[in-house]
Amino acid sequence: MGKSRTKRFKRPQFSPTGDCQAEAAAANGTDPEEDDGPAAELLEKLQHPSAEVRECACAGLARLVQQRPALPGLARRDAVRRLGPLLLDPSLAVRETAAGALRNLSACGGFEVCDDMVTKDVMTPLVALLKECSTGLDSNEMSPQEKKDQNRNSIENIANEAVNVLWNICECSSRAVSIFNKEGCLEIVLKYLSRFSTNVDLAISVAYCLQTVTEDNPELLKSFSAPALHVLESAMLSPVSSMEYILLKTLVAGTIWNLKDIIPSKSQAEIINAILKILSEVLEMDAGETVIQMKETETQRIKTAAQTEDTLQNVNGDDLIEDDEMEEIPHRRKVRRKTFISDLLPPTDKELRETIALLTAQQTALEIIVNMCCSEDPTDDEWEELSSSDESDAFMENSLSECGGQLLSPLCLSHEVHTALTNYLIPKKIFEKTAFPNSIAVDVCSRNPSWKPLIRKMSTIQCRALVCLQSLVSLLDVDHLGGPAALQTLAQHLSQLLFSQPDFAKHVDFLEAISSALRALLQTVASKNIPQCMTPDQLLTLCRAGVHSSNVGVRVNVVSILGITGSVLAKEDGTLDTLKTIGCFLLEVATKDPSLVVAGEALDALFDVFADGKEAERASVQIKLLSALKEFQPVFKMKIRKEGRAKYSPDQLCVLDNVKMNLRRFVAYQETVEKRLTT
């Protein structure tokens, strides 16, 4: 029903290990029936006069909230109201562990829990904590040697936890975003971001938060002053090239894209070039090779450390070893506490952290590009659930701060975006990312439990690249995509990706992404009269598998693909049998699929296939299309009337009403066709 829709990407709830609740429950061996016991005991200890007991209770809750069965019990006992005041506890350690518990709760609890946290007024102590941390950092300006002071580190650690709580809640609650705006949180978090050169972890957390709160938030945009924009510019143009800084710069680039409406027109081309230059550099890196190299580095580091420890043991003797172990106990306890404050925190191993940062940066870069493409066409959400180096140098000289925070009417960015995408070879780099993850890298990760979650991250990058490819194929001119030959090569590539996986139907995310890309590609190829490279048999194989998917998006895509293919075949000779097969398939989907969205798309595809052409007319008569549609017409009307308002959005209902009207017209047309061919 119309052109392919591309979804805007939203950040998924933070969970570096996947399903945090299920995995935490499995790890702890907690039975659902046992949840109330530890919850009650831990919540009671939050009021204990001993700071150490309160700290341990918060840490225990940080683990407990990761278990989904525990969440209702914690809600009944008002865990948020009990934890909230501890954000301002006299003990810095308690503050940090309380923030860690709330961070996990907001990450694992989802939208309902985050909204409830706002209702329980967690934002009041949270904002107060953020302000106190900001003041504490200001009062602790010190020499490089003094920066190692534990108190300063604690303040920054607390700030990092608090920003993550803020980020999670603002992602899920518009009320939290409103409070963010009113309480002046922007100035606070930008102060944290300005410390990116000394605390990149805190800066990354702030960048995530800013990317969230600046999206569709015109009220906040008015608060961006020249100094605020300069902080963003400094972070985005940082010369540091470590993988964590690459992630930071990517996130800040996404934030600056969200701010495009307040950038003066004379700077917009430079800004787009600067953003896409960063995204291009991120996508340039070979993630598979990086995984392999970083794992080798980790292995060598561990081996060297073990050899050094053996050498020290041989030199010092058993007595000294025992003393060293006793000295290490407090250090180990500290590390353990920080680990189990929040089991959701990224891993502490340097190589693994760096690799995760790169993979996250690449996924984020692809999502930003998709969102950039979506902004070109505001109707893309209709079916939603869902340059040269000289120019970049000029951007460095012409600061974002020229804006002065003034709201200006946005330009049409289409030309600038198209130019920058082409100049930085973005389509080519995205094409490369659609390949399956490096098999050696996958094997390396599969043999190491701590690295195993990276396999999923690499697969996610492939899916994001396919969705991004769909956007570019829909948006760019054929010449910008490399011409007709490049599109045919792309079709062959997607075909190989699809059919190299004998069980592709089981991988829902992959199937949705690749079917979306194929749909967009086939639409473009058909509209430009470019010969298609995929055979009808291949497409039918895809559609027969996809139509049984539980994912509505997959089913919509495959019936649309058949509609595009059938409309091309209808204009050719000798296609009668194939058209009959396509017609029967689409008719079955239209009359039997439980979703009106899919049924409407199948009807729309039928209209396209049998709208014109001698072969199409003969096929429609032979499959008795007219009688089938006449019989289904009142059923379709009744379903829209009964299910429409309860299950579908106003936009969807509008499209379904159009399909209903077109069905009436198509039936009338088919009556004339059948009368002409049978008399």
Side-chain angles (χ1 to χ4, degrees):
M1 289 182 289
K3 67 174 186 172
S4 174
R5 310 296 184 199
T6 303
K7 69 176 70 174
R8 287 178 63 87
F9 281 107
K10 291 284 189 178
R11 180 185 69 87
Q13 285 298 292
F14 179 82
S15 176
T17 56
D19 186 344
C20 56
Q21 297 92 346
E23 293 190 8
N28 289 305
T30 306
D31 201 61
E33 288 78 6
E34 299 174 5
D35 288 333
D36 282 354
E41 183 180 352
L42 290 170
L43 290 170
E44 190 67 29
K45 289 180 178 178
L46 293 179
Q47 309 301 321
H48 199 280
S50 167
E52 187 173 335
V53 173
R54 296 197 302 275
E55 179 188 356
C56 289
C58 289
L61 287 169
R63 289 180 296 177
L64 186 62
V65 297
Q66 296 173 55
Q67 304 172 32
R68 187 178 297 276
L71 295 178
L74 290 168
R76 285 195 304 271
R77 289 181 169 80
D78 231 359
V80 173
R81 290 194 193 277
R82 297 194 191 189
L83 279 168
L86 296 185
L87 293 174
L88 302 174
D89 193 273
S91 165
L92 293 182
V94 173
R95 291 186 181 195
E96 186 178 349
T97 49
L102 288 168
R103 173 183 179 173
N104 285 7
L105 180 61
S106 61
C108 285
F111 288 88
E112 290 185 4
V113 168
C114 286
D115 200 54
D116 184 61
M117 290 173 74
V118 178
T119 301
K120 300 289 176 60
D121 199 27
V122 77
M123 291 293 288
T124 297
L126 180 60
V127 171
L129 175 61
L130 289 165
K131 290 179 178 178
E132 283 200 20
C133 288
S134 177
T135 303
L137 291 177
D138 281 342
S139 64
N140 275 302
E141 296 298 336
M142 51 186 72
S143 67
Q145 179 62 33
E146 291 174 316
K147 286 181 181 178
K148 297 180 180 179
D149 180 79
Q150 180 62 35
N151 186 60
R152 181 185 181 83
N153 290 339
S154 292
I155 292 174
E156 291 191 343
N157 291 339
I158 293 167
N160 190 30
E161 293 284 359
V163 169
N164 273 277
V165 178
L166 182 67
W167 165 33
N168 289 339
I169 296 176
C170 286
E171 179 70 21
C172 298
S173 170
S174 59
R175 289 187 297 160
V177 174
S178 179
I179 295 171
F180 182 100
N181 295 344
K182 293 175 182 176
E183 293 294 331
C185 292
L186 177 63
E187 182 180 353
I188 300 169
V189 297
L190 282 172
K191 185 180 293 185
Y192 297 155
L193 180 62
S194 68
R195 316 183 89 85
F196 66 87
S197 60
T198 58
N199 193 330
V200 69
D201 289 339
L202 176 58
I204 287 172
S205 297
V206 170
Y208 269 121
C209 186
L210 284 173
Q211 195 180 29
T212 293
V213 298
T214 55
E215 187 171 359
D216 301 324
N217 189 356
E219 180 184 347
L220 184 65
L221 299 195
K222 300 174 186 177
S223 303
F224 274 88
S225 61
L229 291 168
H230 183 71
V231 171
L232 293 174
E233 178 190 11
S234 299
M236 188 174 79
L237 301 178
S238 168
V240 184
S241 58
S242 73
M243 294 179 196
E244 288 173 315
Y245 275 89
I246 287 172
L247 173 58
L248 173 63
K249 290 188 280 189
T250 304
L251 292 166
V252 174
T255 297
I256 292 176
W257 172 256
N258 290 343
L259 301 177
K260 62 186 179 299
D261 290 355
I262 65 169
I263 305 301
S265 58
K266 63 181 180 179
S267 302
Q268 292 203 4
E270 289 88 350
I271 289 166
I272 291 169
N273 273 283
I275 290 172
L276 283 168
K277 182 175 184 290
I278 288 172
L279 303 186
S280 174
E281 291 170 351
V282 171
L283 296 175
E284 184 78 37
M285 301 183 72
D286 189 324
E289 286 299 320
T290 300
V291 168
I292 296 168
Q293 292 169 10
M294 296 300 280
K295 187 65 186 76
E296 289 176 352
T297 302
E298 181 194 65
T299 302
Q300 186 59 46
R301 175 177 59 81
I302 294 172
K303 181 179 178 181
T304 302
Q307 290 172 345
T308 302
E309 185 176 344
D310 289 342
T311 301
L312 290 174
Q313 287 178 355
N314 292 333
V315 170
N316 291 334
D318 292 341
D319 292 340
L320 290 178
I321 293 171
E322 185 176 346
D323 290 341
D324 286 342
E325 286 177 349
M326 291 181 69
E327 289 176 3
E328 283 294 315
I329 289 174
H331 172 70
R332 289 178 184 170
R333 181 176 297 133
K334 175 176 177 289
V335 171
R336 172 173 161 72
R337 179 180 63 78
K338 289 188 68 178
T339 299
F340 87 100
I341 286 168
S342 172
D343 293 337
L344 295 180
L345 285 173
T348 55
D349 295 333
K350 180 180 185 300
E351 295 83 6
L352 185 53
R353 283 177 62 91
E354 291 273 314
T355 308
I356 289 174
L358 174 62
L359 295 177
T360 306
Q362 291 196 339
Q363 177 181 332
T364 302
L366 292 166
E367 292 171 357
I368 292 171
I369 294 171
V370 170
N371 290 348
M372 291 174 77
C373 295
C374 283
S375 70
E376 298 292 316
D377 182 1
T379 65
D380 277 350
D381 290 332
E382 187 172 352
W383 277 104
E384 258 297 74
E385 272 178 30
L386 359 135
S387 147
S388 71
S389 59
D390 291 341
E391 291 176 299
S392 294
D393 292 340
F395 173 60
M396 292 186 182
E397 297 172 2
N398 297 306
S399 171
L400 286 174
S401 59
E402 290 176 355
C403 167
Q406 181 180 3
L407 276 171
L408 299 174
S409 299
L411 291 179
C412 175
L413 301 179
S414 179
H415 174 70
E416 288 83 359
V417 171
H418 284 202
T419 302
L421 286 169
T422 305
N423 287 349
Y424 289 116
L425 304 177
I426 297 291
K428 178 178 180 294
K429 292 172 183 177
I430 291 172
F431 178 93
E432 292 168 352
K433 295 298 177 189
T434 62
F436 286 112
N438 184 311
S439 59
I440 298 175
V442 170
D443 183 59
V444 166
C445 292
S446 66
R447 289 186 277 108
N448 296 271
S450 59
W451 287 68
K452 196 169 184 178
L454 271 61
I455 298 174
R456 182 171 179 82
K457 295 186 79 69
M458 288 188 283
S459 296
T460 299
I461 289 172
Q462 181 196 25
C463 290
R464 292 292 190 269
L466 286 166
V467 175
C468 204
L469 185 66
Q470 172 209 347
S471 297
L472 295 184
V473 169
S474 302
L475 179 68
L476 297 180
D477 296 333
V478 172
D479 290 341
H480 286 153
L481 295 167
L487 293 184
Q488 290 180 319
T489 300
L490 178 57
Q492 291 174 337
H493 169 70
L494 294 179
S495 174
Q496 289 169 356
L497 284 180
L498 185 64
F499 296 110
S500 65
Q501 296 284 97
D503 58 346
F504 65 83
K506 296 180 181 178
H507 304 286
V508 177
D509 292 343
F510 170 74
L511 184 55
E512 182 178 18
I514 197 167
S515 62
S516 296
L518 272 172
R519 177 182 178 180
L521 178 61
L522 291 173
Q523 284 175 331
T524 299
V525 167
S527 67
K528 302 298 181 182
N529 295 318
I530 299 171
Q532 302 206 19
C533 291
M534 294 187 69
T535 67
D537 286 343
Q538 286 180 314
L539 295 173
L540 279 165
T541 299
L542 163 64
C543 295
R544 286 180 178 128
V547 79
H548 296 295
S549 172
S550 60
N551 185 295
V552 170
V554 171
R555 304 205 303 273
V556 166
N557 285 336
V558 297
V559 296
S560 178
I561 285 171
L562 270 194
I564 296 165
T565 303
S567 64
V568 172
L569 294 175
K571 299 176 178 65
E572 300 176 2
D573 294 331
T575 58
L576 177 64
D577 290 340
T578 303
L579 289 173
K580 287 165 61 177
T581 302
I582 291 174
C584 290
F585 181 91
L586 291 173
L587 195 57
E588 183 174 6
V589 174
T591 56
K592 294 184 179 179
D593 196 285
S595 169
L596 281 176
V597 170
V598 180
E601 190 74 43
L603 287 171
D604 209 43
L606 281 168
F607 306 157
D608 290 339
V609 174
F610 296 100
D612 192 23
K614 292 182 179 179
E615 294 285 64
E617 290 181 349
R618 291 172 56 204
S620 67
V621 172
Q622 292 185 26
I623 65 173
K624 297 182 171 58
L625 181 61
L626 176 60
S627 60
L629 290 179
K630 276 187 171 181
E631 183 178 346
F632 180 62
Q633 193 173 12
V635 176
F636 187 63
K637 289 181 181 179
M638 180 189 67
K639 283 187 174 183
I640 292 176
R641 187 170 60 252
K642 285 190 173 182
E643 303 175 13
R645 295 185 184 279
K647 293 185 178 181
Y648 304 100
S649 70
D651 285 336
Q652 290 173 330
L653 286 174
C654 181
V655 176
L656 287 170
D657 282 337
N658 285 334
V659 174
K660 182 176 66 175
M661 180 176 62
N662 289 336
L663 176 58
R664 185 176 69 249
R665 294 172 178 172
F666 186 74
V667 166
Y669 164 71
Q670 283 294 311
E671 286 176 339
T672 63
V673 169
E674 187 165 306
K675 184 177 181 180
R676 174 160 43 83
L677 292 181
T678 56
T679 56

